[in-house]
Amino acid sequence: MNRRLVFLLFLGVLLMPPAPVATEPPAVVVLTVKLSLAPPVTLRCRGPVRLYSLPEKVLPLTPPLSAAPWREVHGGTIFHQLTWRVEPVDGRIVLASEQGDLVTTDLPLMLWSADGSGFELNGAVYPGTLVLWPEDGLLFFNEVSLEDYVWGVLGSEAYAGWPLEALKANAVAIRSYTLYSLGRHGCYDLCDTIHCQVYRGLPPEAVFRTAVWTTAGEILCWQGAPINAVYHSSSGGRTRNNEEVWAGTPLPYLRSVEDFDHDGRNYQWPQEYQFSWVELTETLGVAADQELRLVPFFNPAGERLGFWVNSPFTEKQLRNEEFRRLFSLPSANFHLFIQPGKAEITQAVTLTPGTELLFTGKGAGHGVGLSQWGAAALAGRGYSYGQILQHYYGPEVVLRSASGQLRKEKPATQ
Ligand SMILES: [Zn+2]
């Protein structure tokens, strides 16, 4: 059949009411990841594709996305040999091929990879199913199996040069964190940024796949449920207690332990961070023409947890982790100095307008849970991935294989 004719038929179907007989959507959905792609996006389908749509514009997006009443677009396909430009135009999804073919709809569109080979989005390979949702411009979702997702996250969050046992420990942590976090965003499970876990599609290096497949289905549990297996790049010598970094209930598997990240790439910050008085007061949200008082507060071991920030109109408690976020620091493991003179702030101090502050520090990330560079060092010493996990998450967690059907709901805490 002539290609242009196929597209005429296809467009006709999209513009007509949906077919009365619903076709079951693909049944392999495990989790939904929102992709942070800014249109226009370049799309290539790596194999044959079948298209699904919704009978009406279900807006706003309602959870869960995969439960929407998808119906196959009869005869609907797009030619996978072509490269498509995907973007929103006047509330519609528009796919335009490099040959001038056009597909457009104002309804959500699901692209199912018939042979499982997936898609390329801006050159990155994504497995599973792609959903285009015309809201806030255009939203991209990837519905992906747990193991493929873990594979993608591992490739985005770890280095291929790390020992295999360290990568396996990372894979188990990622898988556990993922199951703990399902539904975190309500209408979808996880985003693809550092807010949840970085996910940039599937990596080409074989070692990531090996690490995932040799630990397939294995998760860390506490009291019968997957744990919140947070991880970070490098703590700077010692990991942190969860409640001291984020407040909340102390968790027995997120205790402060010795780290072995001294030879890691992120052990020492590569630079110091200096802020002017204007930058400082704007960032902290306090008046620039008033004195500012910083009062450190500590845990029973004498480790500083953060500062009280007091000015005539403001009084707030900021933990080290909040300083990291506000000032875009590599980690929450920092020393704070008054400039000029580089006098460290170790007790309450009053700053006058014009003062500058300097941060120096160690590590990268929040410092809780598994340290990735520490895991690499322990693997280099001969630790197995199970031993690495036990070091960072403690003796109370159990490594077990997920049995039976993985549930989409977050398992209940006992
Ligand atoms: Zn997120």
Side-chain angles (χ1 to χ4, degrees), residues 30-37 61 64-65 126 139-150 152-153 157 173-200 227-231 408 410:
V30 176
L31 63 132
T32 305
V33 183
K34 180 175 174 290
L35 306 179
S36 52
L37 295 170
L61 197 57
L65 180 58
Y126 287 85
L139 304 179
F140 293 76
F141 297 95
N142 186 200
E143 303 213 318
V144 57
S145 74
L146 175 65
E147 296 303 327
D148 279 351
Y149 173 72
V150 173
V153 172
E157 294 270 13
I174 291 167
R175 192 178 293 110
S176 309
Y177 174 86
T178 301
L179 290 182
Y180 179 89
S181 304
L182 289 180
R184 185 179 187 191
H185 282 278
C187 56
Y188 57 94
D189 291 306
L190 298 149
C191 68
D192 70 349
T193 73
I194 195 169
H195 174 263
C196 288
Q197 301 181 102
V198 179
Y199 171 64
R200 296 278 178 266
I227 68 166
N228 184 16
V230 291
Y231 55 94
K408 189 158 178 61
K410 180 174 154 186

Side-chain angles (χ1 to χ4, degrees), residues 216-228:
E218 292 185 4
I219 54 173
L220 295 167
C221 291
W222 178 63
Q223 295 187 340
I227 68 166
N228 184 16

Side-chain angles (χ1 to χ4, degrees), residues 102-155:
L102 197 67
V103 176
T104 175
T105 175
D106 60 357
L107 297 174
L109 196 60
M110 180 159 77
L111 285 71
W112 181 59
S113 174
D115 65 357
S117 57
F119 308 87
E120 288 179 25
L121 295 169
N122 291 343
V125 176
Y126 287 85
T129 297
L130 178 66
V131 173
L132 309 177
W133 200 285
E135 184 170 317
D136 295 333
L138 178 56
L139 304 179
F140 293 76
F141 297 95
N142 186 200
E143 303 213 318
V144 57
S145 74
L146 175 65
E147 296 303 327
D148 279 351
Y149 173 72
V150 173
W151 179 17
V153 172
L154 185 66

Side-chain angles (χ1 to χ4, degrees), residues 185-256:
H185 282 278
C187 56
Y188 57 94
D189 291 306
L190 298 149
C191 68
D192 70 349
T193 73
I194 195 169
H195 174 263
C196 288
Q197 301 181 102
V198 179
Y199 171 64
R200 296 278 178 266
L202 300 181
E205 298 91 345
V207 68
F208 293 126
R209 185 174 184 152
T210 302
V212 174
W213 284 31
T214 53
T215 62
E218 292 185 4
I219 54 173
L220 295 167
C221 291
W222 178 63
Q223 295 187 340
I227 68 166
N228 184 16
V230 291
Y231 55 94
H232 60 280
S233 178
S234 176
S235 73
R238 189 165 189 86
T239 70
R240 298 293 189 272
N241 294 320
N242 69 292
E243 75 280 7
E244 294 180 348
V245 174
W246 297 306
T249 306
L251 291 167
Y253 56 82
L254 296 179
R255 297 297 85 203
S256 172

Side-chain angles (χ1 to χ4, degrees), residues 13-14 16-23 53-55 69-74:
V13 168
L14 275 189
M16 286 192 302
V21 180
T23 306
S53 189
L54 292 177
W70 295 101
R71 296 182 178 186
E72 185 169 5
V73 177
H74 292 275

